[in-house]
Amino acid sequence: MLSAKSKSLNLMLTLTMVVSSFLFVTSAQKANASLASGSKFLGNVIASSVPSNFSTYWNQITPENATKWGSVESARNTMNWSQGDTAYNYAKTNGMPFKFHTLVWGSQEPSWISSLSAADQKAEVTEWIKAAGTHYSGAEFVDVVNEPLHAKPSFRNAIGGDGTTGWDWVIWSFEQARTAFPNSKLLINEYGILNDPTQAANYVTIINLLKSRGLVDGIGLQGHYFNLNDVSVSTMNSVLSTLTATGLPIYISELDLTGDDATQLARYKEKFPVLWENPNIKGITLWGYTEGQTWTSDSYLVHSDGTERPALTWLKQYLSGSTTTPTAPAAPAGLTATAGNAQVSLSWAASSGATSYTVKRATTSGGTYTNVATNVTTTSYTNTGLTNGTTYYYVVSAANSAGTSANSAQVSATPASGSTGGGTGTTGTLVAQYKVNNSNATDNQIYATFNIKNTGTSAVSLSGLKLRYYFTKDSSASLNFYADYAQIGTSNVSGAFASATGTNADTYLEISFGANAGSIAAGGQTGDIQIRVAKSDWSNFNESNDYSFDGTKTAFADWSKVTILQSGTVVWGATP
């Protein structure tokens, strides 16, 4: 017969087993509610708190900023793990893999590290890596070195510098991480690879150095919009083949694709299957998904009210293997027309489910209309080469695989020669277009994308042009320029800063083009030129009062507050 004590013990054991079983089932149910099932994960980032719908979609977690060294130890010898713990504990409770991001990265290192002696720098980095390994010993993955090709740390010489291999500081970092995280998979992480075979080859050089020493377990590839939005599928597959040849698994670490509803949907349909169906890619992590909480404004997949954008609806169907019969989109609404010099700029609201648009024009009200642009994947278009003084009438239709919508309501505009108004700007055969990549006006970087169009009848050499963007520094810190992507090649794009005077501007960024950038053909354009500006101390800007900033321009539009200089003369735009 069991004693009362034994009965109590048995009862406690039984209750423990029941509770444990309940927790296991609950945890499994949470994990299984995500979009992905099987051997590959589909994850996302967690910032300071866990969104209530996180496990509805995702089954892997990366802290967005909370485990970067600059965030954890902003004050020397004081480490704040609280937000990182929120993500880590949620991952462990819900049975989701956790990736520590990141140990060594030049862009978000503590500001105090650069002023230390080399010996003290090495000691501090060593202490940081050990502390991270102790605190997150259960991390399934670790981004050891982030962006070695683009953002080398200021302290790299203290931990080996280039050395005999050219990358001794990276090797040292992985050696320390292998000791600190003995049970984790160690990853290297980089951007600008999937769209650039040359950079991929440079990346493989570092990877093979680590692999030969048994220090790396996987390859991280960032998939940000400025590299993937416009890259061809063939280039993606070529790069993936190059990386697969290393014999290491690949992890897509920071995926975001941007655009209005139709454009983002089209990009997900084209690019996501290339990644998901590659057998060597073992997981994909998206970089944010909720409106107003993503680092670039139009990459989100879920509206702030919880409703889903078309790209997410499609992603759910794709991953579940289900299909639905699409319906033709509604006619575009909100069409507007703005006249310029020998051109008309059009914009309209996205039609739900649309994958492309057709722009139609007539010279008499009500038509007959002629197609002037087909397969347009954005919600704006500039019709150039027009006759000043003539009134043009426009409509736009939307299309997808199910059919084409009716025409939108008609709008009209009459091009005219003359200035853009304000300053000393003029219009001519060169046009500057601008769109904002991140409408957050108070973060620590300025993001912008430009396109230069040649509406003239002869080619224009880029090496004779300069493009200026006007803003306020909001501090005395020095400025850094980054060319993230350029259709003409980032090596052909350079940036410099100079003082400016005028309304809402004390500084301008001047973008120049090298001799190898070539020319803009008559009727041609440069294509995307995606840039960033950051302060040396990574403090925040306030762009809301910047002359050239416009947070509403999420699609290309002619923008007179950006100037183009040709041989030193302003040929487009108005200065402040």
Side-chain angles (χ1 to χ4, degrees):
M1 179 178 290
L2 294 174
S3 66
K5 183 177 180 179
S6 297
K7 288 179 181 179
S8 298
L9 180 60
N10 274 2
L11 179 60
M12 289 175 64
L13 288 171
T14 300
L15 287 171
T16 300
M17 292 173 65
V18 169
V19 171
S20 298
S21 299
F22 172 78
L23 291 174
F24 175 81
V25 170
T26 303
S27 176
Q29 286 174 339
K30 289 181 179 179
N32 290 339
S34 62
L35 300 184
S37 60
S39 60
K40 294 189 180 188
F41 63 73
L42 181 64
N44 218 305
V45 293
I46 287 178
S48 58
S49 61
V50 183
S52 60
N53 60 357
F54 189 93
S55 63
T56 302
Y57 302 110
W58 323 115
N59 63 355
Q60 180 271 333
I61 294 171
T62 300
E64 186 171 15
N65 286 296
T67 51
K68 295 169 182 173
W69 190 11
S71 298
V72 175
E73 196 178 1
S74 59
R76 189 179 181 187
N77 296 326
T78 301
M79 294 191 179
N80 181 357
W81 304 102
S82 59
Q83 292 186 6
D85 288 349
T86 296
Y88 182 78
N89 293 335
Y90 184 82
K92 292 303 168 184
T93 300
N94 290 274
M96 299 180 182
F98 175 87
K99 184 171 76 169
F100 183 96
H101 175 77
T102 178
L103 289 174
V104 177
W105 184 32
S107 288
Q108 282 187 249
E109 63 187 35
S111 59
W112 48 263
I113 191 72
S114 61
S115 63
L116 303 183
S117 68
D120 284 347
Q121 286 179 337
K122 185 175 183 179
E124 289 289 350
V125 182
T126 303
E127 179 186 58
W128 154 245
I129 294 175
K130 287 181 178 178
T134 299
H135 202 86
Y136 296 113
S137 60
E140 283 76 12
F141 303 95
V142 178
D143 281 336
V144 180
V145 175
N146 196 44
E147 301 175 6
L149 295 171
H150 292 95
K152 299 177 182 180
S154 65
F155 52 82
R156 63 186 177 278
N157 288 333
I159 57 175
D162 294 340
T164 58
T165 66
W167 297 98
D168 280 16
W169 67 272
V170 176
I171 294 170
W172 182 91
S173 299
F174 272 83
E175 288 172 342
Q176 305 310 304
R178 184 64 86 194
T179 300
F181 290 89
N183 301 313
S184 304
K185 292 184 178 180
L186 305 186
L187 309 180
I188 191 168
N189 196 40
E190 185 57 274
Y191 74 88
I193 304 299
L194 277 165
N195 63 308
D196 191 336
T198 300
Q199 286 284 56
N202 295 335
Y203 197 31
V204 166
T205 297
I206 306 173
I207 291 165
N208 283 336
L209 289 170
L210 296 170
K211 182 187 174 187
S212 67
R213 292 163 171 78
L215 293 174
V216 66
D217 303 307
I219 302 169
L221 295 178
Q222 297 179 27
H224 289 305
Y225 65 95
F226 50 79
N227 295 137
L228 286 197
N229 272 359
D230 301 312
V231 67
S232 68
V233 168
S234 61
T235 297
M236 292 174 66
N237 282 324
S238 174
V239 168
L240 290 172
S241 295
T242 297
L243 296 171
T244 296
T246 65
L248 293 170
I250 298 170
Y251 299 88
I252 306 301
S253 57
E254 303 176 26
L255 179 65
D256 45 44
L257 297 172
T258 60
D260 56 47
D261 283 355
T263 304
Q264 186 189 50
L265 173 62
R267 286 170 172 160
Y268 264 93
K269 285 183 174 180
E270 180 186 32
K271 309 293 169 54
F272 190 86
V274 175
L275 303 173
W276 190 256
E277 295 173 19
N278 186 296
N280 201 47
I281 293 178
K282 305 304 180 184
I284 296 176
T285 304
L286 278 69
W287 209 251
Y289 69 102
T290 304
E291 183 178 14
Q293 299 178 36
T294 57
W295 78 302
T296 185
S297 59
D298 55 351
S299 66
Y300 67 94
L301 292 168
V302 177
H303 289 283
S304 55
D305 64 4
T307 58
E308 298 171 355
R309 294 184 75 185
L312 182 56
T313 300
W314 171 83
L315 191 60
K316 290 167 61 177
Q317 295 168 353
Y318 169 77
L319 291 170
S320 68
S322 65
T323 58
T324 58
T325 301
T327 58
L335 178 63
T336 61
T338 303
N341 181 26
Q343 65 182 28
V344 172
S345 297
L346 303 165
S347 65
W348 57 92
S351 293
S352 180
T355 56
S356 66
Y357 300 92
T358 297
V359 178
K360 308 172 187 180
R361 184 187 71 204
T363 53
T364 58
S365 180
T368 304
Y369 300 106
T370 301
N371 292 349
V372 294
T374 58
N375 296 317
V376 177
T377 57
T378 61
T379 56
S380 63
Y381 176 77
T382 299
N383 187 199
T384 59
L386 303 177
T387 301
N388 288 332
T390 299
T391 300
Y392 295 90
Y393 302 86
Y394 294 92
V395 293
V396 176
S397 62
N400 60 18
S401 59
T404 301
S405 75
N407 290 335
S408 67
Q410 177 183 275
V411 295
S412 64
T414 306
S417 61
S419 70
T420 59
T424 60
T426 60
T427 60
T429 60
L430 295 173
V431 177
Q433 293 191 316
Y434 159 84
K435 66 178 178 179
V436 65
N437 294 342
N438 182 346
S439 60
N440 184 347
T442 57
D443 60 9
N444 63 2
Q445 296 183 77
I446 294 172
Y447 301 83
T449 298
F450 306 105
N451 178 42
I452 302 176
K453 299 177 64 176
N454 178 8
T455 62
T457 57
S458 59
V460 175
S461 173
L462 274 165
S463 63
L465 303 182
K466 296 184 185 300
L467 185 148
R468 290 180 180 176
Y469 180 94
Y470 302 85
F471 61 99
T472 54
K473 286 178 63 175
D474 304 309
S475 78
S476 60
S478 60
L479 298 168
N480 296 316
F481 169 79
Y482 305 91
D484 287 327
Y485 171 76
Q487 193 168 321
I488 58 175
T490 54
S491 62
N492 298 316
V493 179
S494 59
F497 301 96
S499 298
T501 56
T503 305
N504 295 331
D506 57 27
T507 306
Y508 65 78
L509 163 67
E510 183 173 87
I511 299 175
S512 304
F513 307 97
N516 293 329
S519 300
I520 314 175
Q525 56 190 7
T526 60
D528 285 21
I529 302 168
Q530 300 174 2
I531 66 93
R532 285 182 293 129
V533 174
K535 301 177 192 177
S536 58
D537 61 2
W538 292 92
S539 60
N540 287 345
F541 291 95
N542 178 11
E543 297 178 76
S544 59
N545 64 347
D546 286 358
Y547 178 76
S548 294
F549 175 77
D550 186 346
T552 67
K553 286 183 168 52
T554 57
F556 271 133
D558 297 354
W559 190 224
S560 64
K561 291 188 176 183
V562 172
T563 58
I564 299 175
L565 286 76
Q566 186 174 31
S567 300
T569 301
V570 175
V571 296
W572 168 269
T575 57

